[in-house]
Amino acid sequence: MPEIVADVSNSNPAGDNIQTGGYVPHKELFGYSSPRSPLTTLSPESDSMGLSVDSPGGVDTSIEQLYNNVCEMQSSDQSPSRFSYLSYGQESRIDSELRFLAGGDFMKPDGGATKKTIVIIDEKEVKEASNDSNPTVIIPKSEQSSTPKTRIPSRKRIPSRMNLKKQEKISPNEDPAYLGTYLLKQARDLLSSGDNPKRAFELAQRALKSFESIQSETPNLEVVMCLHIVAALNCSSGRYTDAIPLLERSIEIPNMDQGQKHSLAKFAGCMQLGDTYSMIGNIENSILCYTAGLEIQRQVLGESDSRFGETCRYVAEAYVQGMQFDEAKRLCQMALDIHKNGSPEEAADRRLMGLICEAMGAYETALEHYVLASVVMAGDGHETEVAAIDVCIGDAYLSLSRYDEAIFSYQKSLNLFKSTKGDNHPSVASVFVRLADVYNKIGKLRESKSYCENALRIYVKPVAGIPREEIASGLIEVSGIYESMNELDHAINLLKKALKVYGKAVGQLSTVAGIEAQIGVLYYMMGKYLESYGCLKAAIVKLRAVGEKKSALFGVALNQMGLACVQIHSINEAADLFEEARGILETEYGPHHPDTLGVYSNLAGTYDAMGRWDDAIEILEYVVGMREEKLGTANPDVDDEKRRLAELLGDAGRNRNKKSLSLEFLLDA
């Protein structure tokens, strides 16, 4: 009879393909974190793909980090004003708005002289006020007696930058365009200093309202900048759904026919929107946004510009996250063709190419890229990056079963991380995990457990400032090793700790769903089918919520939940789940993939239990044909499928009077 099979292969840290009787692949479950900026360093203990060398790792939703690479599009402008968070508009307007609020006569930036205004303030505020770049004459009160009497304007005195909060009431006859510019600049200054993000958010919102009150057919790039700032601050507070419509508006406003600044603004909006979708785990939409941004940059800079190459690598990382390795490889090769100059950018490209090749099973090619990247980084004195690449080299050796060379690479990396980051850094723990994996594979379980314990001592009490994603990722990896040792209770406890690390963060729903799915698989292996069903159902609800209804991971999770339904005798629900999983895996993997064939077998067994023998026979005949084609007629798995098909055909030949075998029998078989 057709049986329900649960032989989904589990990708262990080494990349080995081992049939594990129902394991959900770890890389598929937990590889949904946001891609890092092209200018950030890879955290080797994280599944994220940050591959560069210039700034601290971690996804940063601040304007500076989001736009660090974007500002490079402004070609040869290397003036200090480039730091001013995508200054699409004219800085000269900022001078006049200060004059406006001081109460003096002024002319708009289209020409004409501006009269100076004399304002008398306290001596202690002279230094503050004098820092404002404006034509206002500042006279301390102590010098008032020697000052010619001047009619003071009726408006309030000019506010200092530090006293802006007190200046809440604005006269209704003030021009909203100048008010918006003033508020926008203050918001950007606060963002630059990092002192008060909440106040910056309020100012940016007020600036946006001021600009929106103006009826104009001309695209206003200051509105675009306001939208970017408000969206980024929403993201930093976890309000991703509020950020998305703002960024969509910011993309619609710029007109690329009006020059490079408009192109820059549209590019920035596309990339920031892609980052936001990535943060909530919506990789499909994220890739669409990144691809649109990449095309804009190509039109502006051309295909040979180094900055275009960095964005190619950035988008390739997103494709890796989405497990679309062919497209990731194409884009990474474009970046390599641009950066072939022995630079850190080339090293970052080669490192990503190594990861892609390793994911595609080309371990020798991956090793070549890693070694070349290591040579470049070592030549430039980047010890931390060399240590991270040594970890990748060890992974490649482990995938090739060259265990001694893998251990040597890991030990070298361990020493470098200890010397550069300290003994208790998660980077050190990540190498402990890899050494534990090696010793587990060669059967030295005592050494393996010792390294696991060393890693857990760091993960349980991490040093301050370490992103929670790194801690959770480490706990997940250690859990996988205990799982392979068949210590399932310990593995589940570590996964639950990883869930607590993430908490209820909106941007981590896909990762949390992956952890819950793996817990469900472990409960299934322990025979706790109700607990398995509950965890898998919670995972699937989250995956639907974040738009992962078409991913291979979602199909695998549906298959696992279907198996749990079989065990709790919910046959109709199981059939629905297997059918949905079949449709997804046919699209993602194709009808000949082993995982797809496994779902076919499960569905055939379920149809048999429901009395739908014709449907079961049709599916099982296809499975047997594919097994023979892929594995050969002498393979034991093929013989088993043929035997089950023969029994099913025999039952149908007896006019289906014989009661079909129970699903428990099918599963045992």
Side-chain angles (χ1 to χ4, degrees), residues 146-276:
S146 61
T147 304
K149 291 184 179 181
T150 306
R151 181 178 178 274
I152 304 300
S154 60
R155 298 180 187 270
K156 294 182 179 180
R157 62 178 172 80
I158 179 173
S160 69
R161 299 284 173 88
M162 300 299 291
N163 291 331
L164 177 66
K165 191 170 184 178
K166 299 177 183 178
Q167 184 74 12
E168 295 291 347
K169 295 183 179 179
I170 306 296
S171 176
N173 63 346
E174 292 174 347
D175 188 338
Y178 286 88
L179 176 60
T181 302
Y182 177 74
L183 294 172
L184 174 59
K185 187 174 189 300
Q186 295 301 319
R188 291 163 57 200
D189 286 345
L190 283 175
L191 280 173
S192 178
S193 64
D195 291 337
N196 195 338
K198 183 178 179 181
R199 181 62 178 158
F201 181 72
E202 294 172 357
L203 291 170
Q205 283 189 311
R206 289 177 57 191
L208 183 59
K209 289 180 181 178
S210 295
F211 288 128
E212 288 177 339
S213 68
I214 305 168
Q215 299 295 326
S216 174
E217 297 181 358
T218 305
N220 188 342
L221 295 185
E222 288 179 311
V223 175
V224 176
M225 190 188 303
C226 284
L227 291 167
H228 289 175
I229 292 175
V230 174
L233 291 170
N234 271 319
C235 287
S236 66
S237 301
R239 299 187 296 268
Y240 301 104
T241 54
D242 293 337
I244 289 173
L246 296 172
L247 292 171
E248 289 174 343
R249 284 178 56 198
S250 78
I251 293 171
E252 295 172 357
I253 293 173
N255 184 348
M256 291 179 60
D257 294 335
Q258 295 190 19
Q260 190 180 42
K261 286 185 177 180
H262 282 258
S263 298
L264 167 62
K266 191 177 285 287
F267 168 80
C270 289
M271 300 306 286
Q272 190 177 347
L273 183 57
D275 284 346
T276 306

Side-chain angles (χ1 to χ4, degrees), residues 87 89-99 107-110 114 133 135 178 181 185 222:
S87 235
Q90 297 154 347
E91 291 294 337
S92 59
R93 297 188 64 180
I94 304 301
D95 299 332
S96 60
E97 40 84 1
L98 287 175
R99 295 193 293 275
M107 294 292 290
K108 292 185 179 180
D110 54 1
T114 302
S133 56
Y178 286 88
T181 302
K185 187 174 189 300
E222 288 179 311

Side-chain angles (χ1 to χ4, degrees), residues 306-328:
S306 177
R307 294 160 292 180
F308 176 71
E310 290 178 8
T311 308
C312 284
R313 182 175 68 240
Y314 190 40
V315 181
E317 293 171 16
Y319 276 108
V320 171
Q321 293 290 327
M323 298 184 184
Q324 300 181 40
F325 299 116
D326 289 333
E327 188 63 19

Side-chain angles (χ1 to χ4, degrees), residues 97 111-112 144 156 184 193 234 273 370 414 615 638 656 664:
E97 40 84 1
Q144 186 174 355
K156 294 182 179 180
L184 174 59
S193 64
N234 271 319
L273 183 57
Y370 290 146
L414 184 65
D615 293 333
V638 176
R656 304 170 187 169
E664 285 77 4

Side-chain angles (χ1 to χ4, degrees), residues 332-532:
C332 191
Q333 186 60 54
M334 289 174 63
L336 260 177
D337 292 340
I338 295 170
H339 293 145
K340 279 190 176 179
N341 51 9
S343 64
E345 288 76 18
E346 180 192 349
D349 296 339
R350 290 199 177 279
R351 186 175 173 189
L352 176 58
M353 184 64 83
L355 290 171
I356 295 169
C357 292
E358 192 173 350
M360 299 175 75
Y363 304 117
E364 294 283 2
T365 305
L367 195 57
E368 293 175 6
H369 285 291
Y370 290 146
V371 171
L372 289 171
S374 180
V375 169
V376 173
M377 288 300 186
D380 285 349
H382 297 292
E383 288 188 344
T384 301
E385 284 72 27
V386 171
I389 296 171
D390 283 337
V391 171
C392 296
I393 292 173
D395 291 345
Y397 279 133
L398 185 58
S399 298
L400 293 166
S401 300
R402 295 162 64 173
Y403 300 117
D404 290 339
E405 291 162 294
I407 291 173
F408 176 80
S409 294
Y410 290 146
Q411 289 289 0
K412 180 185 172 188
S413 174
L414 184 65
N415 294 333
L416 281 173
F417 276 136
K418 284 184 175 181
S419 64
T420 57
K421 296 193 173 185
D423 292 345
N424 296 318
H425 194 274
S427 298
V428 174
S430 72
V431 184
F432 283 145
V433 173
R434 283 166 166 81
L435 286 166
D437 188 42
V438 176
Y439 283 110
N440 180 43
K441 281 182 167 56
I442 61 179
K444 295 185 177 182
L445 301 187
R446 181 179 298 178
E447 290 86 346
S448 179
K449 288 185 178 180
S450 176
Y451 279 119
C452 283
E453 291 167 1
N454 289 337
L456 289 175
R457 275 195 291 270
I458 297 173
Y459 289 135
V460 171
K461 294 182 178 180
V463 296
I466 301 301
R468 61 185 178 184
E469 290 84 357
E470 295 186 13
I471 305 303
S473 176
L475 293 171
I476 291 166
E477 290 184 344
V478 178
S479 169
I481 295 174
Y482 280 112
E483 177 185 335
S484 67
M485 295 178 182
N486 205 33
E487 296 188 17
L488 302 185
D489 285 328
H490 200 168
I492 288 175
N493 288 335
L494 290 174
L495 290 175
K496 288 181 177 179
K497 286 183 179 179
L499 281 178
K500 289 182 180 179
V501 171
Y502 281 115
K504 296 181 180 180
V506 177
Q508 301 293 342
L509 277 182
S510 289
T511 305
V512 169
I515 299 172
E516 289 177 336
Q518 186 66 13
I519 293 174
V521 172
L522 296 181
Y523 275 135
Y524 184 92
M525 295 167 62
M526 297 171 69
K528 298 181 178 180
Y529 301 120
L530 281 174
E531 291 89 340
S532 174

